[in-house]
Every structure is written in structure tokens, then in C-alpha cells.
Amino acid sequence: MSKTLTSRAGLTYSALLAIGMIIVIGSALGFQYIGGYIPCALCLEQRQPYYYGIPVAIAAALTAALGLPSWITRALLAIAGIMMVVGGGIGVYHAGVEWHFWAGPTTCSTSASSITQNAGDLLNELSTIKGPSCTEAALRVLGLSMAGWNVIASVILATIAFMGVKKAG
């Protein structure tokens, strides 16, 4: 395969991966800030691979667009793919906690109460209010919680990343 075709494949897969990650994390943030769904500790943990993976996927797209050696693009895609596998693993763990297959971390044992309307109490409440319990899904769509949907998204995005590793070579 010519260098132009491998560079184009690397750019395509990297851009698709970055856009997919942005859509997933944007959806989670939308549910939080627009929909009012307060994330639990495991929900926040599931976002970490996206926060770190998006810049890596963008860097992979840039290396391909600039025509840098394909091994750099492939390495960055592999790293982003591994991050999505980790994200999927966290999602499986969280879904298992929601279905009561195993216990969740102790940081998920309390639920949030409403935030005070008194500005003087706000700082005190910020240090005492905990997120909602990880054991109850705030929302289920087609029988899957957001953690379950994250597993599906993570598997799809990891597949895109690893296909990019193969095609960009």
C-alpha cells in the first residue's frame, strides 16, 4: 500500500475515533448538565479514558495529516484503543455493580441530597455532599444503563482504533 493510502487510512480512522469519543463524552456531559443526571463516582471514572483518549486520537490524526511516519499514527491509535478497552472494562464493572453481581467501591454508597439555596452553606455542603449511588442506574434505555451503553461504545471505538492500527500500516 502506498504511503498516501496508509496516511489517508490513518487520518480517517483517527478522525473517526476522535469524533466518536467526543460524541460519547458530549452525550454524557449533556445528560449531566442538560438532563440533570448527577453522575456517580463510577460514572465519572468511566469518562477518564475519553478525556485522555481524545487528545491521543487527535494527535494520531495530526501525525497522519502531516505525513509523519505511519508507526507514530499506529502507536497513537493503539494507545487510544487500549484506553477504550479500559473504559469498556470500567463500564462492565459498573454495570455489574448496578445489577448487584458484585459490590461497588465504598465511594458509591451514599446518595446526593439537594443543594442548599443558602449561599453561606454552599461551601460546607460542597465538602459533604456525595454523588448518587453506583448501585442504581439513573436511566435505562432499551434495558441498558449508561454504563452498559458505555461498554458498547467503548467496544466500537476500540474496534475502530485497532482497525486503524492495521490499515495505517
Side-chain angles (χ1 to χ4, degrees), residues 43-117:
C43 292
L44 294 173
E45 199 68 34
Q46 287 177 92
R47 296 177 185 184
Q48 296 302 315
Y50 293 94
Y51 293 147
Y52 295 114
I54 290 169
V56 172
I58 291 171
L62 287 173
T63 62
L66 295 173
L68 296 178
S70 65
W71 69 266
I72 298 171
T73 304
R74 289 192 328 266
L76 290 169
L77 281 168
I79 290 167
I82 291 168
M83 288 180 188
M84 289 297 91
V85 169
V86 169
I90 297 168
V92 167
Y93 174 68
H94 189 186
V97 169
E98 290 173 342
W99 287 104
H100 306 288
F101 293 150
W102 44 74
T106 57
T107 57
C108 289
S109 61
T110 59
S111 59
S113 59
S114 62
I115 294 180
T116 185
Q117 299 298 317

